[in-house]
């Protein structure tokens, strides 16, 4: 039953039988037979299909909720039994918004030093993608915004408040300033993250409040691309403080704080809503709480 539920989840995620089979490392006939057996066991049709995948039936929509819960609980059981035998081990899959990748590295480095048998896969994704990947059981946790858009039913741990900085070349007129107003960016050539990123939507709101229409001549999903354009000259970008300082190190760049309303947002660890969590994930949440508390003490 568990294997067949895994097949069902793969099909709903991929929306295609061939891709779902490939993701599981099995043949398409094996997958199709497994789905058919699952439907026979449950006594309902789960998927509309003719020559191709046609979406979930109403019963399939209900079964999807249960499948995620059962498969998630089964994976948790395996993790707990493994922790009982061998201590904390395994692989944690984390997706982070691009502006929080330095914090993903900090968290994984600290956690890995304490639990050397735990390895990590760290992905860069949008905030919307992170929530969907948590629902689909594709990741164990994410690092994303906590207070800007609805999160749904998840566990959260605040890590830091995002504070925005202008990244500019040493030769620009802004390099010697101690702060920047959003209105000062009127007419400036900006390179920014793409509009599907929450960071970009926040920046757009701040600029709109200041009466500025952003002149984003370059857009990218990569903060490295943005800073590379600033290094090349003639461009400005706006990034959160931690990653701005990290990417500007060793380059002929200056980082200048942005001042104004709505200039900070909470970012933190986001995990599935489940009690108890797996031992490895619970330990990760505990370390995130320590890091968040330490950050707050440092700010004071």
């Amino acid at each position: 039953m568990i294997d067949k539920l895994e097949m069902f989840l793969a099909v709903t995620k991929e929306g295609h039988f061939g891709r779902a089979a490939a993701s599981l490392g099995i043949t398409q006939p094996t997958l199709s037979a497994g789905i058919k057996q699952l439907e026979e066991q449950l006594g309902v049709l789960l998927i509309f299909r003719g020559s191709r995948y046609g979406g979930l039936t109403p019963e399939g929509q209900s079964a999807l909720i249960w499948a995620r819960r059962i498969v998630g609980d089964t994976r948790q059981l395996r993790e707990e039994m493994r922790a009982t035998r061998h201590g904390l081990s395994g692989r944690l899959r984390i997706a982070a918004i691009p502006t929080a990748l330095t914090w993903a590295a900090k968290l994984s480095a600290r956690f890995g030093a304490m639990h050397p048998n735990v390895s990590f896969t760290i992905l860069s994704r949008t905030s919307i993608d992170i929530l969907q990947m948590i629902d689909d059981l594709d990741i164990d946790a994410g690092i994303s915004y906590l207070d800007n858009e609805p999160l749904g039913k998840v566990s959260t741990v605040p890590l830091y408040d995002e504070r925005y900085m202008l990244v500019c070349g040493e030769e620009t007129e802004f390099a010697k300033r101690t702060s920047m107003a959003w209105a000062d960016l009127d007419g400036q050539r900006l390179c920014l993250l793409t509009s599907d990123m929450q960071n970009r939507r926040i920046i757009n709101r701040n600029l709109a409040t200041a009466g500025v229409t952003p002149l984003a001549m370059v857009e990218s999903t990569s903060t490295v691309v943005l800073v590379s354009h600033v290094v090349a000259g003639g461009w400005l970008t706006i990034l959160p403080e931690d990653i701005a300082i990290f990417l500007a190190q060793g380059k002929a760049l200056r980082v200048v704080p942005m001042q104004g309303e709505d200039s900070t947002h909470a970012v933190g660890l986001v995990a599935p809503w489940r009690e108890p969590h797996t031992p490895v994930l619970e330990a990760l949440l505990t370390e995130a709480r320590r890091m968040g508390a330490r950050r707050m003490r440092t700010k004071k």
Side-chain angles (χ1 to χ4, degrees):
M1 173 69 81
I2 298 300
D3 289 343
K4 295 179 181 66
L5 290 174
E6 293 268 18
M7 294 178 189
F8 176 58
L9 290 178
V11 172
T12 59
K13 175 189 172 186
E14 298 292 343
H16 188 277
F17 284 96
R19 289 195 298 270
S23 72
L24 294 171
I26 60 177
T27 65
Q28 186 169 334
T30 299
L31 175 73
S32 298
I35 296 296
K36 184 176 181 181
Q37 290 168 10
L38 179 62
E39 290 176 327
E40 290 173 351
Q41 285 178 293
L42 297 178
V44 294
L45 184 69
L46 299 174
I47 298 173
F48 291 117
R49 56 190 181 274
S51 59
R52 64 185 65 186
Y53 175 79
L56 296 182
T57 65
E59 294 82 4
Q61 293 285 355
S62 298
L64 178 60
I65 298 171
W66 282 100
R68 286 171 172 164
R69 185 182 305 171
I70 293 168
V71 170
D73 287 346
T74 302
R75 292 178 182 177
Q76 181 171 346
L77 173 62
R78 291 171 181 156
E79 290 288 335
E80 289 185 0
M81 295 304 99
R82 182 168 58 190
T84 300
R85 293 193 306 270
H86 308 296
L88 293 184
S89 61
R91 177 171 293 274
L92 275 170
R93 303 162 300 163
I94 297 176
I97 54 176
T99 54
L101 287 171
T102 50
W103 273 84
K106 290 177 183 178
L107 180 58
S108 61
R110 288 183 60 86
F111 191 87
M114 293 184 293
H115 307 289
N117 292 325
V118 176
S119 56
F120 285 83
T121 296
I122 298 176
L123 306 172
S124 176
R125 294 290 187 270
T126 68
S127 56
I128 294 173
D129 287 342
I130 289 171
L131 294 178
Q132 187 60 54
M133 292 174 79
I134 288 175
D135 279 346
D136 291 340
L137 307 179
D138 289 333
I139 56 174
D140 302 296
I143 300 179
S144 187
Y145 294 98
L146 302 184
D147 60 0
N148 191 43
E149 294 181 3
L151 292 176
K153 194 173 183 180
V154 291
S155 300
T156 61
V157 177
L159 286 171
Y160 65 98
D161 287 332
E162 199 173 66
R163 183 181 178 216
Y164 303 107
M165 316 291 282
L166 177 76
V167 182
C168 60
E170 288 181 338
E171 77 288 351
T172 65
E173 60 181 295
F174 306 116
K176 294 183 179 179
R177 293 198 184 185
T178 56
S179 65
M180 284 283 298
W182 292 92
D184 294 338
L185 296 176
D186 192 21
Q188 299 297 322
R189 297 176 74 222
L190 301 175
C191 43
L192 301 172
L193 290 173
T194 53
S195 57
D196 59 333
M197 300 283 182
Q198 274 203 62
N199 173 268
R200 175 62 184 279
R201 295 195 288 273
I202 292 168
I203 288 173
N204 282 352
R205 284 202 302 270
N206 285 328
L207 290 170
T209 299
V212 176
T213 300
L215 187 61
M217 302 298 291
V218 172
E219 296 180 332
S220 177
T221 59
S222 168
T223 55
V224 173
V225 169
L226 302 184
V227 172
S228 296
H229 276 79
V230 180
V231 171
W235 303 89
L236 304 171
T237 193
I238 305 165
L239 291 172
E241 180 178 19
D242 195 71
I243 199 163
I245 293 173
F246 175 79
L247 292 175
Q249 284 179 346
K251 304 177 183 68
L253 300 175
R254 290 289 180 267
V255 176
V256 183
M258 298 297 302
Q259 302 293 334
E261 295 297 324
D262 196 30
S263 57
T264 63
H265 285 277
V267 176
L269 191 69
V270 181
W273 179 265
R274 183 177 292 123
E275 294 294 344
H277 293 290
T278 65
V280 174
L281 184 53
E282 184 57 47
L284 184 72
L285 289 164
T286 298
E287 182 55 33
R289 293 185 191 101
R290 290 196 192 104
M291 290 179 65
R294 190 177 303 111
R295 175 79 171 192
M296 292 302 297
R297 289 195 299 270
T298 301
K299 286 178 62 177
K300 292 178 181 179

